[in-house]
Amino acid sequence: MKVLMFGWEYPPHILGGLGTASFGITEGLHAQGDMDITFCLPKPWGDEDKTAANIIAMNCVPIAWRDVDYDYVKSRVGNVMDPDTYYKFRDHIYADFNYMNVNDLGCIEFSGRYPDNLHEEINNYSIVAGVIARTQEYDIIHAHDWLTYPAGIHAKQVSGKPLCIHVHATDFDRSRGHVNPTVYSIEKNGMDNADCIMCVSELTRQTVINQYHQDPRKCFTVHNAVYPLRQDLQDIPRPDHTGKEKVVTFLGRLTMQKGPEYFVEAANMVLHRTRNVRFCMAGSGDMMDQMIYLAAERGIADRFHFPGFMRGKQVYECLKDSDVYVMPSVSEPFGISPLEAMQCGTPSIISKQSGCAEILTNCIKVDYWDIHALADAMYSICHNDSLFHYLQDEGKREVDQITWEKVGLWIRELYERTLGWRK
Amino acid sequence: MKTICLYFEIHQIIHLKRYRFFDIGTDHYYYDDYENERSITDIAERSYMPALNTLLEMIKANDKYFKVAFSLSGVGIEQLEMHAPQVLEKLQQLNETGCVEFLAEPYSHGLASLINEESFAREVKKQCEKITEYFGQKPKVLRNSSLIYSDDIGLQVSQMGFKGMLTEGAKHVLGWKSPHYVYNCALAPNLKLLLRDVTLSDDISLRFNNSDWDGYPLFADNYINKIAAFPEEEQVFNIFMELSALGIAQPLSSNILDFINALPACAKAKGITFSTPTEICMKMKSVSALDVPDTLSWVDEERDVSCWLGNPMQREAFNKLYSVADRVRIANDPRINQDWDYLQASNNFRFMTTKPSNIGLDRGIYSSPFDAFTNYMNILGDFINRVNSLYPEDIDNDELNGLLTTIKNQGDEIEMKEKEILRLQTKIEKMQASEDKLKAKVEKAKAPAAKKAPAKKVDATEPSK
């Protein structure tokens, strides 16, 4: 089966959870052996893992005809694309886009991030997708997250192939209900045109059904999974905190959606009873200053630390050094990070409002607003070794069973149902 | 002649309230009054009262042919006293018919038998006193919480003077043997064991209303026929369940009470009698000893203690609780004793189980085993602090016991002396009174002062009286 996928991020250059999930899904499908995946990225760096998917660099796909010779093309795009592919795409230009801001190869530049002119970039992405959709052969289209929905719709209209969209998040999660109308319209349009909507959790599925008024029959829940830890990450030693100071960690963007203030308030309650705990709030974001201020105001700044944004191995070092991982998200479509913490053997407390709560049992679940319950759970894990060890062992065992291969099989079944190959 | 031994457990726990760690040290009341009242009234209304009414009718209708046994946990009685006294009255009415036996069990419905012999013995004693107070019967047969039994427990129970004990007819213990005989404890031959017939009991308490079950619908005549069809040598059919099975586990709408009501008539037709546990222990001889090296109970498929002590959290909570058992017993403080009874209830540990089970478990206010554990440990933290703060911690239990005994002895001595003083004082008063009388006489007679001597003589003879 041939799949045309549209994505925005792909490891190793990732900004959020979307890249990790896209990669996992691709790998999970690839593991079945007979899947042929083409993955379109706005701006690949050339060091992506190409075993699972054939990666197409959108910023190297011409949308305006330029007469350029082979060697020049090779020198310009050789690191991410074969020059022959460039010519193949050039033969499928479908309109005159010379008025656009194109470069000497007839391509549009992408930032590959989430810039201020995001809407323009989304539009450009869709224009380029038209060329790809006319060139490639595929059975089904799979678009990841709202940024690529217009591209997916375009490809569907060009080819007549069914469109699956993957809802990794909705604007209702990001904005605590105050949706951006432009974003909402793009999301809604994508969903309206989709033949199959894959949601990362039942929570998201309900949002899609109720807030975007979609037919429940075409909405399916496809939970995310995690990759087994690399050996070098597994080998990071776990310090033994028995009888010593405990560390409670929050790790994520410091933004409204993640509920950092609940973490600070709960920490305050714990520190009022016991001084034997330290709190670590890793990450950065628009609420960082506010949180530093709040911690100072509560008078707990001496035991409350802000190590800042962490990347790569640092993340795992931080998780392994923690006794409790907390994710008090107000609305989390899925949230892979508690799964990663559990892989590291760190017990997790997650909010009931996060999608991963649907598939995890060996973790503590609280309502994000219930700071009493949150504080109580933190205290309990820090003070009862049996609970700590139980969550550590059983949590790790549980997470090891959640694999992308299983997710891949389920997605394939959904593809086949959408295509009418299977009832 | 075949006989059926029908027994019902009556037990409801005192529900714990949501107790956060910041309540430790400030709040010493651990119970959810609303939930206690709600649940017990609900159960009394939907199950206990209708079920007991039916049983009473059955006894009256069958003129001493039908017999039944109950055991009530102490905390259960306390709950009923507070919120549903009509159930206790009904039980007293049943008791007056003379066809009802009340069994002994640990007061708290706890697991003390597994860890602390003295606590267990004391709890059973407390429970027996309560039963005697209510029903005027002294229990002769014991059933442990959730039918927990092992050889060691059997030995202790026998030493406590009980004639018999109820336990589970678990397959892994019985093997090829049948539960339809009386057995005896391997370590104490005098203690008879009545084994629950798992299938016959669960047919009623678990499956009665299950329309997927092959035996559905179950009728009294079929049920009795099944019993009658067993070989003639198999004589004892122990059908044990919780009383709440009639009405809660199996709703009244399933006509379960009509089923129960029809049992005596059907049994009579087949010549099957009803007996209480004590009657069976007195009449029947044990066929052999039963080896039970590992603890068994009537819970879950495993029939062991794993639903209370299966995971490390449960074991930590259990060990922490009983780490202060001796201290609590020695200190003997009324408020502490009360909390001790309530906290021991095995249900508190059941809430923490992480075992998958095909019987739905209602965890009450707890959303997960971890939640239950956290809440319980918070309460336990406060409770242990209170126990420890009664007496300085550096005094160990033996020393404390010694000191307390000394204090008690001295107290007794002082009391004796006070009585003595009181006695002497009244004596002096008496003498004073008689002296005054004499004086008055003397003055009346206007006798000379020398006549006072006889009065002194009276004084001297007085102590010899």
Side-chain angles (χ1 to χ4, degrees), chain A residues 294-305:
Chain A
L294 184 64
E297 197 179 47
R298 295 279 180 267
I300 53 171
D302 59 326
R303 302 216 147 237
F304 205 99
H305 308 278

Side-chain angles (χ1 to χ4, degrees), chain A residues 282-313:
Chain A
S284 59
D286 55 72
M287 284 172 79
M288 179 115 175
D289 296 347
Q290 204 186 324
M291 288 306 113
I292 295 174
Y293 184 80
L294 184 64
E297 197 179 47
R298 295 279 180 267
I300 53 171
D302 59 326
R303 302 216 147 237
F304 205 99
H305 308 278
F306 292 90
F309 186 78
M310 293 192 175
R311 63 184 75 238
K313 203 175 173 185

